[in-house]
Amino acid sequence: MQKGVWILKVLSQQLIKQTNLKQIYTLVADNEGISRTNIASLTRLSKTTVSTLVEELLDAGFLLDAGAAQTRRQGRKPNSLRVNDEGNVVAVVNWLRSKLQIASVGLGGTVKNFREKMFDPGQDYAAQIADGYRALCAALCADEHKPRVLALCIIVPGIIDPCQKRVFSSVLPVQAGEWVVRRLRAAIPNVPMAMFNDTACYAYAEMSKGFLDDESSIFVNLSGGVGAVMFSGGKMLRGANGMTTQFGHFSVVRDGALCRCGNRGCLERRIGESVLAERAREFMTAGEIEAFGAFTYQTVGRAADEGQPQVCRMADSMAGDLAFALSNFITLYNVRKCVIGGEARLLGNYFFERLQEHITACSFREFVSSCELQYSRLPKHAQFAGAAWYFIDVHYRFEENLTGKLFLR
């Protein structure tokens, strides 16, 4: 056999094995308690192949044998399997404007060791993120399960350019053209590192829980900024780096306030949580603004639900801005489900009701009548699980050494 043909055959066999390992792992992750027999039936692999690959995943510590399964079958009960949530974690850093949120996420999506660290503007951000990661690793070393860290995922409210290895964000205190990724890689050199867009992480968690299983759907993230991710056929379009769409920079007021992106009247400058105090000036006097206190989604949502007139007008205007942008999305792509997530649920019932009314009034009726609109039902910090799940599902290779690898898609 020629050397080139032999190499291709070996590589093909390795690829097939890696694919089968990932398929088996995914089945166990999605179906806790599944047996080897059921895996063989679902994958159409031989029982011998399944048994061999399961043993490899057990020996490597990715799966656990949970003992005899509960079935109605007579005779010997098959053993059930589950992922080793306690023994393997992904470290996740959520990079926000003024603070870091840091946690470990088990393979089953359990978020642990959550902590917050305020940013010191006088210190380098890469060094602060590295310090937060190392502190988390120290806490994991003290854990009774001594979990291994499979990777570090950094969630950012912005676009990650995988070619230039740069980050553009209208929320984070980084300059356009700054070598953010390189600085982070230099500060944390060896661990497999991924950087994902925040909206994509929320959206992937939503999809993984089965809440975005329609043929065409959109997840909208309302937080300090505004973002959106589209799904088609149950798959997130174009990865998790935020390069698919910049929904927050869709102009809803052509001559509106100038945004950091260079555009005017961006949706993010109209309804992002960070601009609520600025928007309040359109509806409230200086005295009313001072008396109101901090403007957050929670305080605005609560006041609107209580019927405070000025805040109701503000919430209605915000709902109208979001509806205008969403109606264009629905008209262009015939979206069947739209989930509003992030911190949006804090805006309350009044905002949501006004949003529904505005969308009905300004969208193509035939499409909007079949589009389901809802708030996200995910728990707090779901973006952490979304980042970890996306990394494992898309990037992780069970038999490959990923030391020092960088993932930006």
Side-chain angles (χ1 to χ4, degrees), residues 153-263:
C153 294
I154 302 174
I155 303 172
V156 298
I159 300 171
I160 303 106
D161 185 336
C163 298
Q164 298 295 324
K165 294 184 173 57
R166 291 178 175 175
V167 173
F168 172 80
S169 175
S170 58
V171 176
L172 297 179
V174 296
Q175 300 300 314
E178 191 172 342
W179 298 104
V180 174
V181 178
R182 293 184 182 180
R183 290 177 64 179
L184 288 169
R185 179 78 283 181
I188 313 170
N190 297 318
V191 64
M193 183 178 3
M195 293 187 73
F196 301 140
N197 170 263
D198 59 343
T199 302
C201 294
Y202 275 117
Y204 200 78
E206 198 85 29
M207 187 202 71
S208 298
K209 288 295 186 180
F211 300 148
L212 280 174
D213 55 358
D214 293 68
E215 182 63 26
S216 177
S217 54
I218 179 176
F219 178 90
V220 176
N221 172 29
L222 301 188
S223 52
V226 177
V229 169
M230 188 171 176
F231 289 80
S232 181
K235 294 185 178 180
M236 186 164 63
L237 298 184
R238 295 184 63 187
N241 55 23
M243 295 291 282
T244 305
T245 174
Q246 273 300 296
F247 185 66
H249 296 285
F250 180 89
S251 179
V252 294
V253 181
R254 292 174 62 182
D255 57 349
L258 183 66
C259 179
R260 280 186 64 185
C261 74
N263 197 7

Side-chain angles (χ1 to χ4, degrees), residues 11 31 77 82 105 123 131 190 209 234 267 271 289 300:
L11 291 175
N31 303 274
K77 307 293 185 184
R82 68 177 181 88
V105 182
Q123 291 189 22
D131 288 345
N190 297 318
K209 288 295 186 180
L267 183 63
I271 67 171
I289 290 173
V300 169

Side-chain angles (χ1 to χ4, degrees), residues 107-396:
L107 292 182
T110 305
V111 178
K112 294 182 178 179
N113 300 295
F114 179 84
R115 61 198 64 196
E116 290 188 336
K117 177 182 178 181
M118 301 306 296
F119 255 126
D120 183 346
Q123 291 189 22
D124 177 59
Y125 59 79
Q128 294 182 72
I129 290 173
D131 288 345
Y133 167 68
R134 295 187 185 106
L136 174 63
C137 289
L140 292 171
C141 286
D143 189 292
E144 60 176 319
H145 298 289
K146 298 291 190 293
R148 60 181 162 185
V149 179
L150 302 179
L152 167 63
C153 294
I154 302 174
I155 303 172
V156 298
I159 300 171
I160 303 106
D161 185 336
C163 298
Q164 298 295 324
K165 294 184 173 57
R166 291 178 175 175
V167 173
F168 172 80
S169 175
S170 58
V171 176
L172 297 179
V174 296
Q175 300 300 314
E178 191 172 342
W179 298 104
V180 174
V181 178
R182 293 184 182 180
R183 290 177 64 179
L184 288 169
R185 179 78 283 181
I188 313 170
N190 297 318
V191 64
M193 183 178 3
M195 293 187 73
F196 301 140
N197 170 263
D198 59 343
T199 302
C201 294
Y202 275 117
Y204 200 78
E206 198 85 29
M207 187 202 71
S208 298
K209 288 295 186 180
F211 300 148
L212 280 174
D213 55 358
D214 293 68
E215 182 63 26
S216 177
S217 54
I218 179 176
F219 178 90
V220 176
N221 172 29
L222 301 188
S223 52
V226 177
V229 169
M230 188 171 176
F231 289 80
S232 181
K235 294 185 178 180
M236 186 164 63
L237 298 184
R238 295 184 63 187
N241 55 23
M243 295 291 282
T244 305
T245 174
Q246 273 300 296
F247 185 66
H249 296 285
F250 180 89
S251 179
V252 294
V253 181
R254 292 174 62 182
D255 57 349
L258 183 66
C259 179
R260 280 186 64 185
C261 74
N263 197 7
R264 286 190 174 274
C266 289
L267 183 63
E268 187 167 290
R269 283 297 310 267
R270 301 286 295 173
I271 67 171
E273 189 172 40
S274 60
V275 301
L276 292 183
E278 182 181 334
R279 284 301 309 274
R281 298 191 195 114
E282 300 174 28
F283 307 94
M284 304 169 71
T285 66
E288 288 170 336
I289 290 173
E290 184 177 359
F292 189 87
F295 282 87
T296 66
Y297 283 157
Q298 186 171 34
T299 58
V300 169
R302 185 186 301 124
D305 284 346
E306 291 172 354
Q308 295 185 25
Q310 298 92 330
V311 183
C312 284
R313 292 203 307 273
M314 176 178 168
D316 178 67
S317 178
M318 291 169 58
D321 288 334
L322 178 57
F324 178 73
L326 278 176
S327 67
N328 282 277
F329 229 119
I330 294 169
T331 301
L332 282 171
Y333 298 108
N334 193 11
V335 174
R336 297 305 179 94
K337 178 181 281 188
C338 177
V339 177
I340 315 295
E343 302 296 320
R345 192 162 46 187
L346 297 175
L347 284 168
N349 295 328
Y350 179 83
F351 174 84
F352 187 77
E353 290 166 3
R354 297 304 299 144
L355 177 62
Q356 288 179 308
E357 292 181 18
H358 282 295
I359 286 180
T360 301
C362 64
S363 296
F364 180 59
R365 298 292 177 86
E366 186 66 25
F367 286 178
V368 77
S369 62
S370 60
C371 179
E372 179 186 354
L373 182 69
Q374 66 181 53
Y375 274 145
S376 172
R377 292 172 285 174
L378 291 178
K380 195 174 183 180
H381 307 316
Q383 72 273 35
F384 286 84
W389 284 333
Y390 185 84
F391 175 79
I392 295 297
D393 291 348
V394 176
H395 295 302
Y396 195 75

Side-chain angles (χ1 to χ4, degrees), residues 21 25 46 62 64 70 92 104 107 127 135 143 186 227 330 356 361 396:
L21 282 169
Y25 170 83
S46 71
F62 292 105
L64 293 175
Q70 298 296 319
V92 181
S104 62
L107 292 182
D143 189 292
I330 294 169
Q356 288 179 308
Y396 195 75

